[in-house]
């Protein structure tokens, strides 16, 4: 039996005008008078999902989700090569979260972030700690240089065939082909030729699929059949990772003392290849009010029954904070 709450639909939604040409899609689910909770999706650029609404008791929580800049239902879309991503950075997203909080009249809220969403949750909480009541993170990342390098070079020995295809998909002579895969794919994803961009997006996701299929035997996300989704997500990810997410290296871990007083639960699969356990362990040591829970049979996927049950149990603990 699933630990997730029943499927629900939003009772409200809208587009938040950031004032710089971006419109951010948001939605609210659950109890309008409940404890506010904000869902921060992964990627970056994956967009929010209907499943994420179900990690919270809808009678207890006012559940807020939004599509981060240029993905999902937010406008303009990164799938359009004319969309300028220069105004899409970690710090733009932090400002968007704070703007959304004020727009919705929320004083403090619980943050839930998975994968990249955990990086964004930490960046926001370390900047606006007085607005954060509690934090639940899964698949913990801080987007350090070493974490990016692990994803696009360090994992190669675990998936040699897939890595070979990932490298060979870059045309010979392309700058970065033998050193910086993120930068090389970033160039291809911004190429003037639409077929070059689409092939790069598919090749990028084929590499990521190797670890996802290992973590989630249910298969790849259905959204991955959508070419526009692949282009959006790959273009945003390479934009962020080629710029180190606009974070000083290890910034979020170094500044973890700013989280003092905020209770947190860190949920980490023992077999998470995409976000190895060491990051969650280091964060737990730097953040005294956090509690690290290691799930022995889980990996990176939140679809894992143990992981989804742990997320629901964690949000249940914070219902009355």
């Amino acid at each position: 039996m699933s630990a997730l709450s029943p499927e629900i639909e939003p009772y409200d939604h809208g587009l938040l005008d950031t004032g710089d040409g971006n419109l951010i899609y948001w939605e609210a689910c659950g109890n309008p008078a409940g404890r506010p909770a904000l869902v921060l999706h992964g990627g970056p650029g994956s967009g929010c999902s209907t499943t994420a609404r179900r990690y919270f008791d809808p009678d207890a929580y006012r559940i807020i989700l939004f599509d981060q800049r240029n993905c999902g239902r937010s406008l303009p879309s990164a799938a359009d090569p004319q969309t300028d991503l220069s105004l899409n950075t970690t710090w733009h997203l932090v400002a968007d979260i704070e703007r959304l909080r004020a727009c919705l009249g929320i004083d403090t809220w619980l943050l839930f972030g998975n994968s990249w969403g955990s990086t964004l949750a930490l960046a926001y909480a370390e900047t606006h700690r007085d607005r954060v009541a509690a934090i639940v993170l899964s698949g913990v990342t801080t987007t350090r240089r070493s974490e990016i390098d692990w994803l696009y070079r360090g994992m190669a020995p675990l998936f040699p065939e897939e890595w070979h295809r990932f490298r060979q998909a870059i045309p010979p002579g392309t700058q970065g082909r033998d050193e910086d895969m993120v930068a090389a794919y970033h160039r291809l994803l911004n190429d003037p030729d639409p077929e070059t961009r689409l092939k790069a997006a598919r090749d990028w996701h084929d590499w990521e699929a190797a670890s996802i299929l290992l973590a989630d035997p249910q298969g790849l996300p259905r959204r991955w059949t959508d070419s526009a989704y692949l282009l959006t997500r790959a273009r945003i990810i390479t934009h962020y990772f080629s710029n180190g997410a606009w974070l000083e290296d290890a910034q979020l871990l170094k500044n973890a003392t700013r989280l003092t007083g905020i209770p947190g639960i860190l949920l980490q699969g023992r077999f998470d290849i995409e976000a190895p356990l060491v990051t969650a362990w280091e964060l737990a040591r730097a953040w005294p009010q956090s509690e690290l829970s290691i799930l022995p049979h889980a990996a990176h996927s939140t679809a894992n029954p143990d992981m989804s049950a742990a997320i629901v149990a964690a949000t249940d603990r914070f219902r009355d904070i």
Side-chain angles (χ1 to χ4, degrees), residues 11-27:
Y11 65 81
D12 196 9
H13 68 277
L15 288 171
L16 177 69
D17 190 340
T18 65
D20 59 9
N22 281 275
L23 297 173
I24 307 300
Y25 173 85
W26 63 270
E27 63 183 37

Side-chain angles (χ1 to χ4, degrees), residues 156-290:
L158 301 178
F159 305 101
E161 182 178 353
E162 293 85 353
W163 174 254
H164 175 75
R165 290 200 298 265
F166 188 52
R167 287 189 68 252
Q168 291 301 114
I170 300 175
T174 300
Q175 185 177 354
R177 184 176 190 260
D178 297 318
E179 296 179 6
D180 189 341
M181 301 294 284
V182 175
Y185 270 90
H186 181 256
R187 293 185 186 92
L188 293 174
L189 287 159
N190 288 278
D191 191 272
D193 178 48
E195 290 302 317
T196 298
R197 294 196 301 271
L198 181 56
K199 182 180 185 302
R202 288 173 173 160
D203 291 334
W204 179 269
H205 283 84
D206 283 347
W207 166 245
E208 189 170 340
S211 57
I212 287 179
L213 287 172
L214 186 67
D216 186 1
Q218 296 181 32
L220 298 173
R222 284 179 294 178
R223 294 184 290 184
W224 283 30
T225 60
D226 182 351
S227 296
Y229 178 82
L230 297 182
L231 282 164
T232 295
R233 188 171 181 274
R235 190 172 176 227
I236 292 175
I237 290 176
T238 56
H239 170 63
Y240 268 73
F241 289 176
S242 63
N243 285 286
W246 298 271
L247 296 165
E248 295 180 12
D249 199 26
Q251 176 178 337
L252 299 178
L253 284 170
K254 291 174 182 177
N255 292 342
T257 54
R258 297 181 183 179
L259 304 173
T260 299
I262 302 175
I265 297 177
L266 313 178
L267 304 171
Q268 196 70 24
R270 172 69 72 180
F271 297 110
D272 190 336
I273 293 178
E274 295 174 83
L277 174 58
V278 63
T279 297
W281 182 79
E282 291 174 343
L283 179 60
R285 287 169 59 86
W287 177 12
Q289 283 73 39
S290 67

Side-chain angles (χ1 to χ4, degrees), residues 30-234:
N31 181 357
R35 158 64 66 190
L38 177 69
V39 176
L40 298 171
H41 67 68
S46 294
C48 57
S49 69
T50 57
T51 301
R53 303 168 183 167
R54 304 174 63 194
Y55 295 135
F56 305 84
D57 179 346
D59 294 327
Y61 278 103
R62 177 186 178 190
I63 311 155
I64 311 299
L65 303 92
F66 78 103
D67 290 325
Q68 295 161 28
R69 288 189 176 216
N70 308 125
C71 74
R73 290 150 290 188
S74 292
L75 299 170
S77 171
D80 182 350
Q82 300 304 313
T83 297
D84 179 11
L85 299 185
S86 65
L87 297 180
N88 188 342
T89 72
T90 301
W91 303 112
H92 285 96
L93 300 186
V94 167
D96 291 344
I97 295 169
E98 185 60 5
R99 186 178 290 110
L100 180 61
R101 181 199 62 77
C103 177
L104 297 178
I106 292 170
D107 183 30
T108 63
W109 44 12
L110 176 148
L111 305 181
F112 167 66
N114 172 67
S115 193
W116 157 258
S118 61
T119 291
L120 184 55
L122 292 169
Y124 175 80
E126 291 180 6
T127 305
H128 299 284
R129 67 168 313 284
D130 292 341
R131 298 303 183 182
V132 180
I135 303 174
V136 176
L137 305 179
S138 63
V140 179
T141 72
T142 63
T143 316
R144 289 177 288 182
R145 305 298 190 277
S146 60
E147 295 171 42
I148 297 172
D149 183 71
W150 167 256
L151 287 169
Y152 303 106
R153 186 167 59 181
M155 288 200 309
L158 301 178
F159 305 101
E161 182 178 353
E162 293 85 353
W163 174 254
H164 175 75
R165 290 200 298 265
F166 188 52
R167 287 189 68 252
Q168 291 301 114
I170 300 175
T174 300
Q175 185 177 354
R177 184 176 190 260
D178 297 318
E179 296 179 6
D180 189 341
M181 301 294 284
V182 175
Y185 270 90
H186 181 256
R187 293 185 186 92
L188 293 174
L189 287 159
N190 288 278
D191 191 272
D193 178 48
E195 290 302 317
T196 298
R197 294 196 301 271
L198 181 56
K199 182 180 185 302
R202 288 173 173 160
D203 291 334
W204 179 269
H205 283 84
D206 283 347
W207 166 245
E208 189 170 340
S211 57
I212 287 179
L213 287 172
L214 186 67
D216 186 1
Q218 296 181 32
L220 298 173
R222 284 179 294 178
R223 294 184 290 184
W224 283 30
T225 60
D226 182 351
S227 296
Y229 178 82
L230 297 182
L231 282 164
T232 295
R233 188 171 181 274

